[in-house]
Amino acid sequence: MPADPAVPAVPAEPVEPAVPSRRGRLTVYLGAAPGVGKTYAMLEEAHRRRERGTDVVVGCVETHERARTAARLDGLELLPPRDVDRHPGSSTELDTEAVLARSPEVVCVDELAHADAPGSGRPTRAEDVERIRAAGIDVITTVDIGHLDSLNDEVERITGVRQRETVPDEVVRTADQIQLVDMAPDALRRRMAHGNVYPPDRIDASLASYFRVGNLTALRELALLWLADRVDDALGDYRRAHRIRDPWPAKERIVVALTGGPESETLLRRGARLAQRAAGAELLAVHVVTTAGLHRPQDAALARVQALTDSLGGTFHSVVGEDAAAAVVDFAVGANATMIVVGVSRHGRLRRPFTGSTGERIATLAGAIDVHLVTHEEVAPGARRRAAPSLGAHRRILGWMLAVGVPELAAWWLHRHTDTDQLPLASLVLLGGTVLVAMVGGRWPAVVAAIVGFANLNWWFTAPIHRFSIAEPHNVAALAVFLAVAVAVATVVDRAARRAEEAVRAWAEAATISGLSRSVLTGQDTAEAIVEQVRETFGQRSVALLERTPQGWHRLAGAGIGHADRPVGPSSADTQVRVDDDHVMVLRGAPLRAADQRVLAAFAVQTSLVLEYRRLREHADRALALERAEATSTALLRAVSHDLRTPLATMRTALDGLLAQRPRLSEEDRGVLIESAASSAERLEQLIDDLLDLSRVEAGLVRPRLVPVSLEESLPLAVAGLPAGAVSLEVGETTPLVLTDPGLLERVVANLVGNAVRVSDGTPVRLLAHVTPETVEVLVVDRGPGVPDALRERMFEPFQRLDDTSPGGLGLGLAVARGLAEALGVRIGAEDTVGGGLTIVLSVPRAADHPGATMVPPAERSVGAAGPVEEDE
């Protein structure tokens, strides 16, 4: 039975464990981020095993002051930690020797990636776990996805935080069981807000930035994809162990069959686009080296293809085989692929019947694997698409065979079973055969069948027989009628087939125009989309929409290969169609048929509607801008009538009191009046500055001067005018320089901090700086009531105070801050503060890419936190 957790066990002397009969199993609880519940899940599993009678102990655990996690230790034996001096607040160390001496069946070891303290004997906890497993003891442990060696750089790019403690992927990958502890980002942030992950006083700028929704979502996806790869490896081992040949489409894998020829790059890019449509899909390029060694591509060509494969995120493979198609299919089956991408054969039409098509053979052998056939520029000219005849190739071939075979067989049968004077019967039978040929092969095979039937009638059934001559005149008329009827029937059947084809084509044209009209009427299409649709519909190399200007033709939209490289003008086009007086659509490619020209004219009409819609939309946008300007003017007048008049009235009252020279006016009263007038003047000055700044921003007159700036020197100037203790400034000395205009940035921060102080009810506002690989994020953290998600965009609009009822202000501070931030190229956003409140985030570009630039001292700045905004001359 486990020992009472209230009585700590006495550490035993180091002993050499007996050689175990088996190696201990490793169970890993994997999480995307701290706080998802890995340790809690590990302790829950320990309780389950203990209830089943398993001897379970806890070797080490980090509760991080989480009450619910600490409560799960009740009832479990906790081995005493090994005391090692590291640094204040350091975590406890696993006593490996105590675990070996206790020799339980299962031991729980938290934080697998932990680095042991100096003097521990082993550098990492992962090595401690390996030693425990070597003694035959099962281990249950935890690890975050960011602590895996292979993902450390990815996690740093996502979060801006580099994990100093990592564990080799092989340790986790070879675990006997991996359990993912998953939690939605919003749920984890709610846990943070409630103090269930870290106490609020321990949350600094780094933690606040780490636990953003975007970061948590990316880390979650990283954990899911990494675990999916491990599951896929396990699936592959199972299929190999059970000799399962048929592919199991558990994950999208796209195999691109490459010849090494010039079309290989086209096939690779097409395969990469298909892989991008499915999250987590793999791209595998395979080149078959035939055993004969014939037609091998140059090494330089294969090297280019391999480099392109690597750049697209795929893997390149070379296999050897006598039959290229069979080798590609065997590789795809072995890789458990779901699709094979292969190019159209480069062989011409005359050579293809003798050499065959690799793509067609792959499609025949692929079985359940999809085959995607891709055309390319290297296809032989004779093999390119041509206008399809009325009847299919198989029917035409069969028709020519029947044109000779049916009359001959019918004549032979009639000659064997009837008399030679049965000309009417023979004519009807051969006429029926001609109709059959016409129904199968069309007009010309039926004409040939009629001629062959005519010859057989003359030879076998008209006197004199066995000679091509006619003795009786009425036989001449009968044979002539037979031939005319046969040709007429063939013509009717051929015309019926053509009408059917035209009906199908008309239906397709109507569906295309209908879809185009619907998209135009609903405002979902653009000129770019229409020219792309024209190019795809008519199979053109490129299509461009041109506009006539006083300076000449101007390209409005284009699609296809080389549309931007040709001279601008209708004269350089293979086909052109007029849209309106000032616009024309030009096409380059194969000439169009008359029916296609009619459909193209319909496209031109729809294009004119798109252009008209664009003009109406521009007018509507200008009208909306004027309406907004009118609303702003109205709001400004209302603000002037109240918010500006209030400080003016206060100033006048104070000055009247000072000028009255009342004898009873004491020095204290005079001081109060002077202070009241000064504060009102300061408030009026702030309101006027906000109005002027907003007008400059909306007029586009702000021109920042970007130089490297130190936030350690700039941010204190931004909050210098606020009351003492209202702001807690937390900017490290190692914070890198940022590329910005110091005066404008100080004005932005001053507005944001001032707004945060007003809503925080005396709680100090925290001003933090967090470093990411490309930016430095300035965080303004308040503990006010916060702002709902639906109102966060609205709060940056002018004259919006939302639920702020504090006296004074026009609701311009955040609008001015966003306008100046956009002029600086600084992203501004709002998030929930962990524990309640609102956090404004400014992402300021780092100046790391400008090592030669020098920092501007504060004394040389021409624009201060409350100074004027630089504008054009």
Side-chain angles (χ1 to χ4, degrees):
M1 294 293 294
D4 187 349
V7 181
V10 178
E13 294 295 329
V15 295
E16 290 296 331
V19 178
S21 59
R22 69 171 184 88
R23 181 176 174 82
R25 292 175 56 85
L26 177 63
T27 300
V28 177
Y29 283 89
L30 176 69
V36 297
K38 302 181 300 297
T39 304
Y40 189 90
M42 177 186 71
L43 298 178
E44 280 285 303
E45 177 63 18
H47 276 284
R48 282 193 291 270
R49 298 197 184 193
R50 181 177 179 275
E51 292 171 358
R52 293 197 300 263
T54 305
D55 183 13
V56 182
V57 300
V58 179
C60 66
V61 64
E62 294 291 344
T63 64
H64 297 288
E65 303 179 19
R66 299 167 191 163
R68 294 187 60 194
T69 303
R72 297 309 294 158
L73 287 172
D74 294 342
L76 295 175
E77 179 182 352
L78 178 62
L79 297 181
R82 184 164 53 88
D83 294 329
V84 177
D85 292 334
R86 294 187 62 178
H87 52 77
S90 62
S91 59
T92 57
E93 294 293 335
L94 171 67
D95 194 337
T96 308
E97 303 300 334
V99 174
L100 296 176
R102 173 65 175 78
S103 188
E105 295 180 63
V106 179
V107 60
C108 297
V109 179
D110 204 6
E111 298 187 359
L112 180 63
H114 174 73
D116 289 346
S120 300
R122 285 166 295 277
T124 64
R125 186 166 290 173
E127 297 185 31
D128 295 335
V129 167
E130 288 299 311
R131 185 161 185 258
I132 293 172
R133 293 179 63 196
I137 302 173
D138 295 343
V139 177
I140 306 175
T141 187
T142 65
V143 70
D144 280 332
I145 192 68
H147 289 286
L148 298 181
D149 272 340
S150 64
L151 300 178
N152 198 14
D153 293 338
E154 296 291 334
V155 173
E156 183 182 11
R157 279 193 290 269
I158 292 171
T159 65
V161 178
R162 186 168 188 84
Q163 303 292 344
R164 291 186 293 273
E165 297 179 334
T166 60
V167 61
D169 287 44
E170 191 65 22
V171 175
V172 182
R173 185 183 295 110
T174 56
D176 299 278
Q177 186 176 5
I178 303 176
Q179 294 281 352
L180 178 65
V181 183
D182 190 30
M183 179 175 288
D186 290 335
L188 182 55
R189 284 183 59 84
R190 282 194 297 270
R191 293 196 65 193
M192 284 279 292
H194 297 156
N196 295 330
V197 179
Y198 298 110
D201 57 353
R202 287 184 54 191
I203 300 176
D204 56 8
S206 178
L207 275 179
S209 179
Y210 190 94
F211 282 87
R212 290 185 184 171
V213 173
N215 291 354
L216 297 177
T217 302
L219 293 174
R220 187 187 189 195
E221 181 182 18
L222 207 60
L224 290 172
L225 291 177
W226 189 90
L227 186 60
D229 288 339
R230 306 291 78 74
V231 173
D232 193 70
D233 293 341
L235 177 62
D237 294 339
Y238 179 86
R239 292 178 65 244
R240 285 188 291 271
H242 292 76
R243 298 181 180 179
I244 299 174
R245 177 172 174 79
D246 293 336
W248 288 2
K251 179 181 180 180
E252 286 292 333
R253 284 188 180 84
I254 298 176
V255 172
V256 181
L258 303 177
T259 64
E263 77 280 2
S264 297
E265 295 185 3
T266 301
L267 300 182
L268 268 176
R269 292 190 173 92
R270 182 58 177 166
R273 289 197 298 271
L274 292 172
Q276 290 171 358
R277 296 175 184 175
E282 291 185 15
L283 178 66
L284 300 92
V286 58
H287 169 66
V288 179
V289 180
T290 59
T291 54
L294 299 178
H295 303 293
R296 291 192 59 181
Q298 297 181 359
D299 293 338
L302 282 180
R304 288 195 300 270
V305 171
Q306 187 169 0
L308 179 60
T309 304
D310 295 338
S311 66
L312 294 174
T315 56
F316 185 85
H317 306 267
S318 290
V319 296
V320 179
E322 295 183 2
D323 186 349
V328 169
V329 173
D330 289 341
F331 174 83
V333 171
N336 200 22
T338 56
M339 180 183 293
I340 300 175
V341 177
V342 62
V344 175
S345 176
R346 289 180 290 172
H347 298 161
R349 299 178 63 183
L350 296 179
R351 183 179 175 186
R352 190 175 299 176
F354 302 98
T355 61
S357 170
T358 303
E360 294 175 356
R361 295 206 61 238
I362 289 176
T364 303
L365 299 173
I369 304 177
D370 296 337
V371 177
H372 191 86
L373 199 61
V374 179
T375 187
H376 48 82
E377 294 296 329
E378 302 301 321
V379 177
R384 294 186 183 273
R385 177 179 62 87
R386 294 184 178 180
S390 301
L391 301 176
H394 292 87
R395 289 183 60 181
R396 287 185 288 114
I397 295 174
L398 181 59
W400 285 110
M401 295 174 61
L402 294 178
V404 177
V406 168
E408 292 291 343
L409 289 175
W412 174 81
W413 184 86
L414 289 171
H415 178 69
R416 292 288 302 270
H417 296 87
T418 61
D419 296 332
T420 57
D421 60 349
Q422 297 294 326
L423 179 60
L425 175 62
S427 299
L428 290 176
V429 172
L430 291 177
L431 182 60
T434 303
V435 172
L436 174 64
V437 174
M439 294 176 62
V440 175
R443 176 193 301 174
W444 295 113
V447 170
V448 172
I451 294 173
V452 174
F454 177 90
N456 278 280
L457 288 175
N458 189 4
W459 181 267
W460 297 105
F461 299 102
T462 59
I465 61 172
H466 300 159
R467 294 178 61 186
F468 289 110
S469 61
I470 304 174
E472 300 293 336
H474 65 273
N475 289 339
V476 176
L479 293 178
V481 171
F482 167 80
L483 184 61
V485 170
V487 173
V489 170
T491 303
V492 170
V493 172
D494 183 69
R495 287 183 178 178
R498 292 181 183 276
R499 296 296 183 270
E501 180 192 14
E502 292 174 358
V504 172
R505 183 178 181 84
W507 176 85
E509 293 174 358
T512 301
I513 297 175
S514 174
L516 180 62
S517 301
R518 183 168 54 253
S519 61
V520 170
L521 293 176
T522 55
Q524 299 174 352
D525 235 326
T526 61
E528 290 77 7
I530 287 184
V531 295
E532 176 62 28
Q533 191 170 359
V534 169
R535 189 191 68 81
E536 293 178 354
T537 301
F538 299 105
Q540 298 293 294
R541 291 195 307 273
S542 65
V543 179
L545 178 63
L546 307 181
E547 180 182 26
R548 191 198 311 270
T549 63
Q551 292 77 27
W553 290 100
H554 169 68
R555 184 183 294 105
L556 283 182
I561 302 174
H563 73 86
D565 302 331
R566 299 292 185 90
V568 178
S571 59
S572 61
D574 298 322
T575 306
Q576 59 175 296
V577 59
R578 175 180 173 275
V579 176
D580 56 30
D581 293 339
D582 296 323
H583 297 86
V584 63
M585 187 180 296
V586 296
L587 294 77
R588 297 182 179 91
L592 301 183
R593 298 183 302 176
D596 293 334
Q597 293 280 359
R598 184 180 64 253
V599 179
L600 181 61
F603 270 96
V605 173
Q606 302 302 327
T607 304
S608 66
L609 294 178
V610 167
L611 296 176
E612 182 64 21
Y613 174 78
R614 175 183 291 182
R615 286 191 288 268
L616 293 176
R617 186 171 53 189
E618 292 175 354
H619 289 311
D621 291 341
R622 286 195 292 268
L624 181 60
L626 292 175
E627 182 180 352
R628 289 178 177 175
E630 182 67 21
T632 301
S633 301
T634 303
L636 178 59
L637 291 175
R638 291 176 180 173
V640 169
S641 65
H642 179 270
D643 294 275
L644 294 182
R645 188 170 57 184
T646 300
L648 288 174
T650 304
M651 292 170 59
R652 179 163 185 174
T653 302
L655 293 175
D656 288 343
L658 291 173
L659 295 175
Q661 298 294 335
R662 296 177 181 176
R664 296 182 180 180
L665 194 63
S666 63
E667 290 297 327
E668 182 179 356
D669 292 338
R670 290 174 58 86
V672 170
L673 291 175
I674 293 174
E675 183 180 355
S676 176
S679 62
S680 297
E682 182 179 355
R683 177 182 164 194
L684 181 61
E685 181 184 13
Q686 181 65 39
L687 294 176
I688 294 175
D689 286 341
D690 285 343
L691 289 172
L692 292 176
D693 288 347
L694 181 64
S695 64
R696 293 184 180 109
V697 168
E698 292 184 345
L701 299 178
V702 179
R703 295 293 183 268
R705 185 169 62 97
L706 303 181
V707 294
V709 176
S710 170
L711 292 179
E712 186 184 4
E713 297 181 1
S714 180
L715 294 185
L717 296 177
V719 299
L722 296 173
V727 180
S728 172
L729 185 60
E730 305 172 23
V731 181
E733 296 180 356
T734 59
T735 303
L737 301 180
V738 296
L739 190 67
T740 187
D741 186 304
L744 296 183
L745 180 64
E746 290 166 14
R747 184 60 183 272
V748 172
V749 174
N751 282 7
L752 296 176
V753 174
N755 184 77
V757 168
R758 189 169 60 254
V759 301
S760 292
D761 295 332
T763 304
V765 173
R766 301 177 66 189
L767 186 58
L768 316 173
H770 172 62
V771 181
T772 69
E774 298 180 357
T775 64
V776 176
E777 296 177 339
V778 179
L779 286 74
V780 181
V781 183
D782 67 58
R783 294 290 180 181
V787 178
D789 292 343
L791 299 179
R792 288 183 183 172
E793 183 64 25
R794 180 183 164 194
M795 74 180 185
F796 287 105
E797 297 177 359
F799 307 106
Q800 298 294 331
R801 301 188 63 186
L802 302 183
D803 296 330
D804 183 12
T805 58
S806 58
L810 296 176
L812 296 177
L814 294 182
V816 171
R818 182 168 71 170
L820 295 179
E822 291 176 351
L824 288 170
V826 173
R827 296 193 305 272
I828 184 171
E831 301 176 352
D832 289 326
T833 299
V834 176
L838 188 70
T839 298
I840 303 294
V841 183
L842 293 172
S843 299
V844 188
R846 292 177 55 171
D849 296 333
H850 303 268
T854 57
M855 185 179 62
V856 177
E860 297 181 10
R861 299 173 185 170
S862 59
V863 182
V869 179
E870 182 181 348
E871 54 183 297
D872 288 340
E873 294 294 337

